[in-house]
Amino acid sequence: MSNDSEAESAETADSEEEEVDGLQDGDFVKIDYTARTVEDDRLVDTTDEEVAEAEDVDTEEQDFGPRTIVLGEGHIFPSVEDDITGKEVGDSGTVTVPAAEAFGEFDEDQVRTISKDKIPEDDRYPGGQVRIDGDEGFIETIIGGRARVDFNHPLAGDDVEYEYEIVEEVTDREEKASGLLDMFLGLDLEIWFETDTVEEEQLVEEDEDEEAESDDEDEEESEPEYETVEVEKESLYIEATPQLTMNQQWMMQKQQIGQQLIDFTGVDRIVIQEVIDGGGMGMGMPGMMGGGGMGGGDIEEALEDADIDAEDLAEEL
């Protein structure tokens, strides 16, 4: 091989190494960011509580701090994701996201005139948010019996300036799962991994001799046979808090969120575990039969008064 060819090969190898430097698709990263509209500097979103407070945003019911995303999964605007790819922890950047990529261009056809009777009375005022035939919009004007409603996104037509800093690369599986749940649901949930032994139905495979005998004896296709076997499954447990079970995003996208958790953590299954805490409640039923809790003797007396045989009742239960 000539020296020129060797040099070209070396340059190609160096080039390939450079292409895989830095963060890549599939990497979990924590980022801090603040996004504002370019034209009028309106705050769109931020992970900085001080920035939110300065904009008079109610911060009591929101959690602030770095957000976990997975590169290549569309968790942020594509142009921001492209800018992060190849960078390292500690790097920062500013990206202008065009309106079409952010919240869409403003569409005049999405500003429609409807009968005001379709709007609840309490919402009939300029600026009121309404939902008509499944579409959400804001009332511009109400004149007579007609209302003009803008069904565009409130930020449609606005370019967005996105400032970010890469805070950390996440490698721990539990942190990855927690980060995904926080990103999708905005909830800090208790999670843990366990290996469980579970029963599973598996197809019984016939050996070649049995298959040959079966073919000779009967040309009809036989029903496949299954057997119950015990297998080990790695499970991601998530505590089913009231906040989770009532979360609208979870109710609508449970399957998709669960699949992402499986794909990115490598577990076999997701288990949503509900914990019922007695909270100090006894087994008695206060107020039952007009009195307080009853002891064992009281129960037997009550059954006798009702002409119920305690042994027969126990057998039925």
Side-chain angles (χ1 to χ4, degrees), residues 107-112 135 149-152:
D107 184 356
E108 289 288 354
D109 291 338
Q110 290 300 311
V111 183
R112 304 195 294 268
D135 295 329
V149 182
D150 183 358
F151 291 99
N152 285 286

Side-chain angles (χ1 to χ4, degrees), residues 28 35 42 53 68 70 74 119 160 196 224 226 268 278:
F28 279 66
R42 280 183 295 164
E53 288 176 346
T68 300
V70 186
I119 303 172
V160 175
D196 301 321
Y226 292 89
D268 297 307

Side-chain angles (χ1 to χ4, degrees), residues 14-301:
D14 291 341
S15 171
E16 289 176 353
E17 287 181 7
E18 288 176 5
E19 289 177 3
V20 297
D21 283 347
L23 298 166
Q24 301 296 319
D25 286 355
D27 289 340
F28 279 66
V29 293
K30 287 185 178 181
I31 61 172
D32 269 323
Y33 63 85
T34 294
R36 298 178 180 273
T37 59
V38 172
E39 186 174 349
D40 52 10
D41 202 37
R42 280 183 295 164
L43 182 65
V44 176
D45 193 15
T46 185
T47 57
D48 190 328
E49 186 171 5
E50 291 183 1
V51 171
E53 288 176 346
E55 297 286 341
D56 295 325
V57 174
D58 184 2
T59 60
E60 289 188 4
E61 296 185 3
Q62 296 187 48
D63 291 326
F64 291 88
R67 302 280 170 82
T68 300
I69 63 167
V70 186
L71 292 178
E73 293 300 315
H75 295 158
I76 53 175
F77 298 125
S79 55
V80 178
E81 193 171 61
D82 290 343
D83 200 66
I84 292 175
T85 302
K87 289 190 173 179
E88 305 283 354
V89 172
D91 289 345
S92 58
T94 301
V95 181
T96 298
V97 183
E101 181 188 327
F103 301 99
E105 298 285 5
F106 187 84
D107 184 356
E108 289 288 354
D109 291 338
Q110 290 300 311
V111 183
R112 304 195 294 268
T113 300
I114 64 171
S115 170
K116 76 172 186 180
D117 293 337
K118 288 189 172 183
I119 303 172
E121 282 192 41
D122 292 344
D123 296 329
R124 292 178 191 171
Y125 58 89
Q129 185 173 359
V130 295
R131 187 178 184 88
I132 308 295
D133 299 329
D135 295 329
E136 292 188 359
F138 291 86
I139 300 172
E140 288 189 343
T141 58
I142 298 179
I143 301 175
R146 312 292 287 174
R148 189 166 172 80
V149 182
D150 183 358
F151 291 99
N152 285 286
H153 188 282
L155 295 171
D158 284 310
D159 296 338
V160 175
E161 186 175 82
Y162 198 105
E163 295 184 7
Y164 71 86
E165 179 183 358
I166 305 168
V167 177
E168 179 186 348
E169 182 177 3
V170 180
T171 56
D172 179 75
R173 283 204 310 166
E174 192 166 312
E175 282 190 50
K176 288 181 177 181
S178 293
L180 283 173
L181 287 167
D182 181 46
M183 181 189 64
F184 285 125
L185 308 174
L187 298 175
D188 183 15
L189 300 167
E190 183 177 351
I191 65 169
W192 64 96
F193 292 92
E194 284 187 18
T195 300
D196 301 321
T197 300
V198 299
E199 291 187 345
E200 186 176 87
E201 294 292 312
Q202 289 188 358
L203 181 66
V204 177
E205 295 184 3
E206 296 181 353
D207 60 35
E208 293 181 3
D209 292 338
E210 289 177 343
E211 286 183 14
E213 286 180 20
S214 176
D215 290 340
D216 292 338
E217 291 174 4
D218 190 359
E219 292 183 359
E220 292 184 9
E221 291 186 9
S222 59
E223 290 290 330
E225 292 185 22
Y226 292 89
E227 62 179 347
T228 302
V229 298
E230 289 189 343
V231 296
E232 287 192 342
K233 297 274 189 182
E234 188 177 24
S235 308
L236 170 59
Y237 280 80
I238 303 173
E239 184 179 351
T241 64
Q243 290 84 357
L244 174 65
T245 55
M246 298 301 293
N247 185 282
Q248 187 174 9
Q249 196 77 7
W250 175 251
M251 289 189 286
M252 294 175 62
Q253 294 186 300
K254 181 188 303 183
Q255 193 65 38
Q256 296 92 317
I257 294 170
Q259 190 59 54
Q260 287 221 19
L261 287 167
I262 290 171
D263 291 342
F264 288 118
T265 61
V267 295
D268 297 307
R269 62 183 194 153
I270 307 292
V271 179
I272 310 302
Q273 179 164 295
E274 184 174 18
V275 178
I276 299 177
D277 188 349
M281 293 172 58
M283 291 299 291
M285 294 172 145
M288 180 90 167
M289 302 182 72
M294 298 186 294
D298 293 329
I299 293 174
E300 291 175 2
E301 290 174 10

